[in-house]
C-alpha cells in the first residue's frame, strides 16, 4: 500500500494528552468528534489544516504518557494516513498496530514541514519527494506484522478466536 | 542462566525459558480497566465476538477518572460499564471507591509474582509489591478479558541501586523525580526497571508505590522491587491469594546499572511541561502558586496525607491559594478520618474531593485558569493535563505541596519538618 501526503512536523515527547486531551476523551466514544480535537493543545487549527492522507512527523518518544487508545484512533479518524517518528512510546505503538494506524519508525530529521512524502508499507521505504531522498524504515516485529495483516487485533481475534502467531 | 525479575515472571507465565528480547504469550493473573479506557474495551470485546470472560474473578473495572460524573456523556459511558459488569458478573468499583492503582493492590487483587495488565499507563504501580504489571490499551484489554493472555516482548532491565538515607523532608517522590530528570522521558522505553538498595528497603510500601507508579514517566514497562518483610506485612489481611515472591538472580544480566546515593538528595520539582524537566526545589523556590493538589495514584495514600497534616496542623493555608485533597481510596479516606488527618486538612483550608483521580486528568474537580500555577503531587505535568493548556503544572512531594499551600509559593518543606 502506498500512502501519500504532506508532512506536519512536531517535536520530541509528543504525549497522548496533546494528541487527544483528557477533557474530551472521557465523554464520548464518537471518534469522529474526538478527531476534531486532535493535537489541539499544540496547534489549535490542526484539524482544519490537514487533508486526507497527510502525515504526522515527529521526533523521539511519540505517544508517551497515558494508555488511551483514543490517541491513535483520533489520528486515524482525522484521516491522517500514518505517523512517522524517530521513536515511539511502547503503549502507543501497540495501540496503533492494534487499531490499524500505520506507525513508521525512521530518521525524521530528513523531513521538514510540508515536505511531500510517499510511504510504501510493503517495502518499508519512505520517499521524501520534496527532497528526492529515500529514508529506510525500522522493520516491525513479526507478531505485529501478523496482527496488521489480519487488519488489527479485533480482526485477528475474529479470525482466530485467540492469539495465533503460528 | 540467571534471570531478572521480569525474565522470571515471564518464564513462569508463558511456560517458556524466557530472556530479554524473547516474544512470549503469557497467562495473566488479573486485568483492569478504568472509565477512560473500559468503554472502548467493551466495544472491542463485542466486535471481537467476545462472550464470556476468561475468569470473571480476575477482571475489574474502576470508575475513578471522572467520578462522580460531571457530564451526561460521561454518565452514558459509566452506565455502559455498569451494565457490562452486571452481565458478565465481574467486579466494578464505582464512584467514591478510589483510584484503580490504589484499589487493585489494597483490595488484594495482586500479590508478588503476579502478571497483571491494566488499561491505564500507571498500572506499573504494583511493581512495588513484586508483581510485573503494565499498562495496555483498550483493544489489548479486550483480548485479555477474552483469552486471559497477552503477547509480550520480554524487556531488558535497568537496575537502580539506591543507597543511603533520605534526609527528613525528602521523600520517595523526590528520588523518583530526580531519577526521571536524569534518565529522561524515554530513557527506559521498552525496558523494565528494578529498584534496590538500602534507600528502598527502609521505605514503607506506601512510599515505594510512588516510585513504581512513575516508572512509566521514563518510558518503562514496569517498576519492579524485591519482596521483603514490609511487603509481607502490607499484604497480610488484604489477599487470599498465595504470594509467589520472585527475586532477581545476583548475576542476572542488566542493560544498565545506575547507582544513587540518596543521602544528599534535596527536594525536587518537575517544571512545566514535561515530567523530566526536573530541578532542585531551590531553583524555583518562592514561585507564587494559585492551586495546590494532594492526591492521585502517585501520592494520595495515607502516609502522604499524614505528612501533609503534620505540616498543616493548627495552621491556615495562604489566602490566595486553593488547596484540593483527593484521598486515593475510600479506605484511605476512612483511615485518615479516624486519625484526625482529614479534620486537620479541612481546618487548614483544604477542599476534600471524592476519592478518585480528582483534578489530575482535567475532567473536573479543579481545572486551573489561564496563566495559573498549580503545584501537584500527581505524576504528569503535560500542558493541558489538568484541563487548561494555558496553566503551568509543577510536580512535587506531598510535603512540598503542603508547605507551599501554607506560604502561597513554592517552599522547601524542610523548614516545616
Amino acid at each position: 500500500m502506498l500512502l501519500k501526503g504532506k508532512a506536519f512536523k512536531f517535536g520530541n515527547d509528543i504525549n497522548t494528552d496533546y494528541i487527544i486531551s483528557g477533557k474530551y476523551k472521557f465523554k464520548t466514544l464518537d471518534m469522529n468528534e474526538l478527531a476534531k480535537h486532535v493535537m489541539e493543545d499544540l496547534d489549535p487549527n490542526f484539524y482544519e489544516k490537514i487533508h486526507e492522507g497527510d502525515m504526522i512527523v515527529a521526533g523521539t518518544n511519540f505517544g508517551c504518557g497515558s494508555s488511551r487508545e483514543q490517541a491513535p484512533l483520533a489520528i486515524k479518524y482525522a484521516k491522517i494516513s500514518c505517523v512517522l517518528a524517530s521513536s515511539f512510546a511502547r503503549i502507543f505503538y501497540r495501540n496503533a498496530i492494534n487499531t490499524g494506524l500505520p506507525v513508521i519508525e525512521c530518521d525524521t530529521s530528513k523531513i521538514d514541514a510540508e515536505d511531500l512524502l510517499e510511504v510504501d508499507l510493503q517495502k518499508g521505504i519512505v520517499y521524501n519527494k520534496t527532497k528526492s531522498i529515500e529514508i529506510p524504515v525500522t522493520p516491525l516485529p513479526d507478531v505485529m506484522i501478523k496482527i496488521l495483516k489480519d487488519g488489527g487485533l479485533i480482526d485477528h481475534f475474529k479470525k482466530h478466536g485467540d492469539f495465533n502467531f503460528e | 542462566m540467571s534471570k531478572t525479575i521480569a525474565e522470571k515472571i515471564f518464564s513462569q507465565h508463558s511456560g517458556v525459558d524466557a530472556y530479554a528480547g524473547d516474544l512470549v504469550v503469557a497467562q495473566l493473573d488479573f486485568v483492569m480497566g478504568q472509565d477512560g479506557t473500559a468503554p472502548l474495551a467493551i466495544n472491542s470485546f463485542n466486535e471481537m465476538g467476545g462472550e464470556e470472560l476468561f475468569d470473571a474473578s480476575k477482571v475489574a473495572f474502576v470508575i475513578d477518572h471522572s467520578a462522580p460524573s460531571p457530564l451526561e456523556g460521561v454518565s452514558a459511558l459509566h452506565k455502559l460499564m455498569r451494565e457490562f459488569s452486571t452481565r458478565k458478573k465481574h467486579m466494578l468499583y464505582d464512584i467514591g471507591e478510589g483510584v484503580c492503582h490504589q484499589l487493585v493492590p489494597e483490595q488484594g487483587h495482586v500479590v508478588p509474582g503476579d502478571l497483571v495488565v491494566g488499561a491505564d499507563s500507571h498500572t506499573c504501580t504494583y511493581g512495588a509489591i513484586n508483581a510485573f504489571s503494565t499498562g495496555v490499551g483498550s483493544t489489548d484489554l479486550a483480548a485479555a478479558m477474552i483469552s486471559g493472555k497477552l503477547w509480550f516482548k520480554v524487556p531488558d532491565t535497568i537496575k537502580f541501586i539506591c543507597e543511603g538515607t533520605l534526609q527528613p523532608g525528602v521523600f520517595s517522590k523526590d528520588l523518583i523525580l530526580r531519577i526521571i530528570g536524569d534518565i529522561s522521558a524515554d530513557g527506559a522505553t521498552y525496558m523494565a526497571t528494578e529498584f534496590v538498595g538500602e534507600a528502598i528497603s527502609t521505605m514503607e510500601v506506601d512510599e515505594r508505590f510512588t516510585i513504581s507508579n512513575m516508572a512509566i514517566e521514563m518510558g518503562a514497562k514496569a517498576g519492579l522491587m524485591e519482596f521483603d518483610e514490609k511487603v509481607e506485612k502490607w499484604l497480610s489481611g488484604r489477599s487470599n491469594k498465595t504470594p509467589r515472591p520472585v527475586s532477581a538472580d545476583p548475576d542476572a544480566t542488566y542493560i544498565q546499572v545506575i547507582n544513587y546515593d540518596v543521602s544528599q538528595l534535596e527536594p525536587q520539582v518537575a517544571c512545566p511541561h514535561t515530567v523530566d524537566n526536573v530541578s532542585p526545589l531551590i531553583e524555583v523556590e518562592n514561585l507564587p502558586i494559585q492551586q495546590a493538589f494532594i492526591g492521585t495514584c502517585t501520592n494520595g495514600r495515607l502516609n502522604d496525607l499524614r505528612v501533609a497534616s503534620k505540616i498543616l496542623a493548627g495552621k491556615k493555608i495562604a489566602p490566595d491559594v486553593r488547596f484540593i485533597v483527593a484521598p486515593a481510596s475510600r479506605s484511605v479516606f476512612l483511615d485518615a478520618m479516624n486519625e484526625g488527618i482529614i479534620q486537620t486538612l479541612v481546618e487548614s483550608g483544604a477542599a476534600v474531593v471524592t476519592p478518585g483521580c480528582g483534578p489530575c486528568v482535567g475532567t473536573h474537580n479543579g481545572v486551573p485558569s489561564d496563566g495559573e500555577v498549580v503545584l501537584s503531587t500527581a505524576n504528569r505535568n503535560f500542558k493541558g493535563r489538568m484541563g487548561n493548556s494555558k496553566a503551568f503544572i509543577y510536580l512535587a512531594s506531598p510535603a512540598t505541596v503542603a508547605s507551599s499551600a501554607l506560604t502561597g509559593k513554592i517552599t522547601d518543606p524542610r523548614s516545616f519538618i
Side-chain angles (χ1 to χ4, degrees), chain A residues 6-68:
Chain A
K6 198 166 72 174
F8 281 80
K9 250 201 127 175
F10 294 90
N12 297 333
D13 300 324
I14 301 301
N15 63 65
T16 54
D17 274 84
Y18 292 167
I19 298 169
I20 184 68
S21 169
K23 68 184 170 189
Y24 300 119
K25 73 126 178 177
F26 285 103
K27 62 183 182 190
T28 183
L29 285 179
D30 180 353
M31 295 303 149
N32 290 312
E33 180 57 34
L34 289 184
K36 293 176 191 164
H37 301 288
V38 70
M39 301 305 227
E40 186 182 84
D41 281 346
L42 294 179
D43 180 353
N45 303 315
F46 181 72
Y47 184 72
E48 280 73 47
K49 289 180 192 169
I50 52 172
H51 294 93
E52 185 166 352
D54 285 347
M55 301 175 187
I56 288 175
V57 179
T60 54
N61 205 24
F62 186 88
C64 62
S66 95
S67 66
R68 63 192 67 169

Side-chain angles (χ1 to χ4, degrees), chain B residues 354-374:
Chain B
T354 314
C357 304
C360 175
V361 277
T363 52
H364 65 156
N365 272 334
V367 176
S369 188
D370 291 3
E372 286 192 332
V373 172
V374 181

Side-chain angles (χ1 to χ4, degrees), chain B residues 384-403:
Chain B
R385 173 76 180 179
M386 296 180 78
N388 185 338
S389 60
K390 297 185 184 73
F392 299 87
I393 308 168
Y394 292 74
L395 308 177
S397 75
T400 298
V401 174
S403 306

